[in-house]
Each structure stands twice: as structure tokens, then as C-alpha cells.
Amino acid sequence: MGPVTILDYGAGNLTSVRLACQRFGVEPRMATCAAEALGEGALIFPGDGSAKSAMAAVKARGYDSLLRKAREEGRPILGICIGMQLLFDGSEEDGGVQALGMLPGQVRRFSFPQDPALKIPEMGWNGVHFRQKHPLFRGIPQDTPFYFVHSYYCDPAAEALRLGTTEYGGTHFCSVAGRDSLVATQFHPERSGEWGLALFRNFLEWNGKEEE
């Protein structure tokens, strides 16, 4: 396991992410701006909150350029929750937000006109179906439940980006996306117990190559 940097941009409590890394003997660097995350090693891009405020903070701290450069260099990158959503072209949240454009596709709000009583946000445990083989999933059973809290979901423009999917209210959405050295989860692995920690371990051991 190499060095790891967690990108702090004021969008959520990062303590559980840091503790997940420490569980495997990795002491992550906590960056508050792009200059503190330069160099080598993996990047973790977590977050909670709204797309507009989160994207503004990402730009203000220079993480937009950092993430694009890191991907060009093949550094492993893990996006979590709003960190996943901001990797796409844009989001319907807050009247429309232009995001990082590192993965083609849009972020859409759940809509259940056939069942208005269905709760939004989705909050709780739900299974993830692995659609492709990936080092991130090593040793984790198919359809393992992980912990979700979200009102919006990612809709990739290419099927190849859908590494994992989840069903909620009849909508089969992308819950794990990725390409090259970039992977992202809509769920919170740091809040997902044993198998969430297993996913963290797999990421920490990953060299950024899609092949195992």
C-alpha cells in the first residue's frame, strides 16, 4: 500500500474515511488544497451535501485541476457519494450544475410518479450488483449490501462505465462507476461495515490498473 491523500473541501465528516484507511495501517494525508495533494499516491474524493456548493469548494481549492492531472498520471482515485457525482459532466441538482466532466454522463434526481410515497432520499442498505470484474470488488460477494444516502444518481453515457448497479423503486442506477485509474461509489464504503472495509482495502492495494 502506497501513500494516500484524502481531499477535504468542507463537504462532510471525513473522520470515518480516515479511520478506514488507518484500519489497514495507512495514515492518510489530509489535504485542504491542491498544493497539499501533489506528488504520488492515491486520492480519495469523498463528500456529502449539495452539488453546487461542493463544486464551488472543489474549484476554490484547486481540486478540479488536481484530479484531472492525477488521472492523466494514472494515480488511483476513489470518489465517494457527492465525490462520485461531481466526476460526471453535470447534475440536475440546484437548478443544474456543471461538474468536472471526467466521466461522461449526467446526475439525475430520483422520480417515482408511480409511487409518490417512496422515500427520497434513499437512505439505508441496498445491494450492489457487480457488472464487470474489477480489482475493487476482489473477495466481495455479488449483491453485497452497502450503505446509501442520496437523492440523486449517476447516469453514465456509456455502459462500459457502469461497474456496479443497484435497484431502488424500480430504477436500476449506477452505484459504482469507473474508467482507467478512476473508480467511484454512490454508497459510503466507510459506513458499510465489513464489506465496505474490504472495498477500502482493495482500493488501497490497487495500482490503478483495471486488470487484477
Side-chain angles (χ1 to χ4, degrees):
M1 297 182 185
V4 176
T5 301
I6 299 173
L7 304 184
D8 180 1
Y9 53 104
N13 182 0
L14 306 184
T15 301
S16 53
V17 178
R18 177 174 56 82
L19 291 174
C21 294
Q22 291 175 337
R23 182 75 173 264
F24 301 104
V26 175
E27 185 59 56
R29 176 171 49 182
M30 306 297 292
T32 59
C33 65
E36 297 175 358
L38 297 176
E40 299 180 349
L43 298 176
I44 300 179
F45 181 41
D48 294 307
S50 72
K52 185 175 182 179
S53 60
M55 192 64 211
V58 165
K59 289 183 176 179
R61 302 192 187 205
Y63 291 151
D64 49 345
S65 298
L66 168 73
L67 286 163
R68 295 187 182 102
K69 184 174 186 294
R71 182 182 175 184
E72 291 174 1
E73 295 171 347
R75 295 173 67 178
I77 301 169
L78 173 63
I80 300 173
C81 196
I82 194 71
M84 174 183 182
Q85 295 179 7
L86 294 183
L87 294 170
F88 283 82
D89 291 323
S91 173
E92 294 180 347
E93 191 173 6
D94 297 320
V97 176
Q98 183 176 355
L100 292 168
M102 295 174 65
L103 294 173
Q106 295 294 321
V107 178
R108 309 190 188 281
R109 180 173 171 82
F110 279 124
S111 177
F112 305 116
Q114 75 283 4
D115 187 2
L118 196 62
K119 291 183 178 180
I120 301 175
E122 177 189 16
M123 184 179 299
W125 297 81
N126 204 345
V128 174
H129 187 80
F130 306 139
R131 294 169 58 98
Q132 302 179 43
K133 188 177 181 180
H134 193 280
L136 196 69
F137 306 145
R138 187 179 65 249
I140 302 175
Q142 183 67 282
D143 299 316
T144 289
F146 293 89
Y147 187 76
F148 290 82
V149 182
H150 63 127
S151 300
Y152 294 79
Y153 65 92
C154 298
D155 184 15
E159 285 298 312
L161 302 177
R162 298 176 186 263
L163 303 183
T165 56
T166 296
E167 185 271 333
Y168 185 62
T171 298
H172 292 264
F173 66 90
C174 177
S175 51
V176 188
R179 185 170 64 182
D180 305 320
S181 67
L182 175 62
V183 291
T185 67
Q186 181 59 67
F187 55 85
H188 287 271
E190 75 280 8
R191 303 180 192 173
S192 297
E194 172 189 0
W195 295 117
L197 287 173
L199 188 144
F200 256 105
R201 181 196 61 225
N202 290 341
F203 175 73
L204 294 173
E205 293 176 345
W206 186 41
N207 63 2
K209 307 293 184 182
E210 293 186 0
E211 301 80 10
E212 292 200 53

